[in-house]
Amino acid sequence: MLKYTVEVSGMMCGMCESHTNDAIRKAFPVKKVTSSRAKSLTEILTENELDQELLRKTISELGYDVGEIKKENYQKKGFLGLF
């Protein structure tokens, strides 16, 4: 699993977050996508490599500015077996 963290500036409300999430879901096969206008970030979980130029274009076409895109391996954090 991969986690992409994208700096996105210009989101002003919850609808901006929703539009960003919807556009990414339509363009890519993702497991989860969340956007935060307060943090100016969009986080994407996927099992596939994403075309970062297409990702940048998808978000830019909504009118937002895209900054740095970070990719890292992601491992779901499960219950630590504390029982």
Side-chain angles (χ1 to χ4, degrees), residues 13-59:
C13 64
M15 287 305 296
C16 295
E17 296 167 345
S18 292
H19 288 146
T20 302
N21 296 343
D22 290 344
I24 292 169
R25 282 188 197 103
K26 287 179 185 175
F28 301 99
V30 299
K31 292 289 185 183
K32 183 176 180 182
V33 57
T34 57
S35 295
S36 169
R37 65 185 179 272
K39 295 179 183 178
S40 297
L41 291 177
T42 294
E43 294 181 338
I44 304 162
L45 295 180
T46 181
E47 292 184 358
N48 307 303
E49 294 275 339
L50 301 182
D51 179 336
Q52 292 188 25
E53 286 307 310
L54 180 57
L55 178 59
R56 187 177 299 278
K57 181 180 178 206
T58 299
I59 297 170

